[in-house]
């Protein structure tokens, strides 16, 4: 038996705001809130469903240095250019990590500066 990717925990200064951003990006909903201020979002099926949930945990200060993990997202119901416009309108910003400009993806950052990539290939929604 192997492991299954069930959730990703993200340290954040403002868990509510970051959870709201990512819920809009991914079409997720808030699944729960802990007394410590953590907010969990995910697909309607919830924890253990077909896609992992995201938990935004409160921290006073961000971890220094470059993050060692980033998320890639793919559009589901529109092309990459339209999805890029939507993500920028939600509060994402373009990030420069030394890309040449010839890449098929866009490097972005969420409202707290966490980098993620928008891929070109469309995927079927869950």
């Amino acid at each position: 038996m192997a492991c299954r990717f069930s959730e990703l925990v993200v340290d954040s200064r403002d868990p509510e705001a970051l959870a709201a951003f990512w819920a809009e990006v991914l079409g997720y909903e808030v699944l729960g809130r802990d007394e410590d201020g953590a907010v969990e979002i995910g697909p309607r099926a919830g924890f253990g469903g077909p896609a992992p949930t995201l938990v935004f945990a409160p921290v006073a200060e961000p971890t220094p240095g470059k993050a060692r993990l980033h998320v890639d997202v793919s559009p589901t119901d529109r092309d990459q250019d339209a999805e890029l416009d939507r993500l920028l309108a939600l509060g994402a910003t373009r990030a420069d990590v030394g890309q040449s400009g010839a890449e098929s993806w866009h490097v972005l950052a969420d409202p707290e500066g966490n980098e993620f990539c928008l891929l070109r290939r469309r995927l079927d929604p869950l």
Side-chain angles (χ1 to χ4, degrees):
M1 174 76 54
C3 289
R4 201 168 131 211
F5 182 35
S6 58
E7 67 185 5
L8 176 67
V9 179
V10 179
D11 289 346
S12 61
R13 292 181 303 274
D14 186 346
E16 288 287 341
L18 207 53
F21 171 82
W22 280 103
E24 284 293 323
V25 169
L26 299 171
Y28 277 14
E29 58 188 51
V30 173
L31 300 174
R33 292 177 171 85
D34 289 346
E35 317 74 56
D36 67 354
V39 180
E40 182 175 19
I41 64 169
R44 193 171 302 258
F47 180 82
T53 63
L54 298 172
V55 177
F56 297 92
V59 295
E61 294 295 325
T63 304
K66 181 171 174 20
R68 297 182 66 194
L69 175 76
H70 78 260
V71 174
D72 289 345
V73 297
S74 297
T76 59
D77 61 351
R78 64 199 72 176
D79 67 22
Q80 184 188 42
D81 290 338
E83 185 62 1
L84 176 62
D85 290 342
R86 186 181 82 88
L87 297 177
L88 292 171
L90 288 173
T93 55
R94 294 179 185 271
D96 182 358
V97 295
Q99 60 269 42
S100 69
E103 294 82 8
S104 63
W105 61 87
H106 296 280
V107 182
L108 304 169
D110 70 17
E112 290 197 9
N114 300 303
E115 293 167 358
F116 67 101
C117 293
L118 171 61
L119 306 181
R120 177 177 295 154
R121 185 174 179 196
R122 284 177 62 173
L123 297 178
D124 291 331
L126 291 175

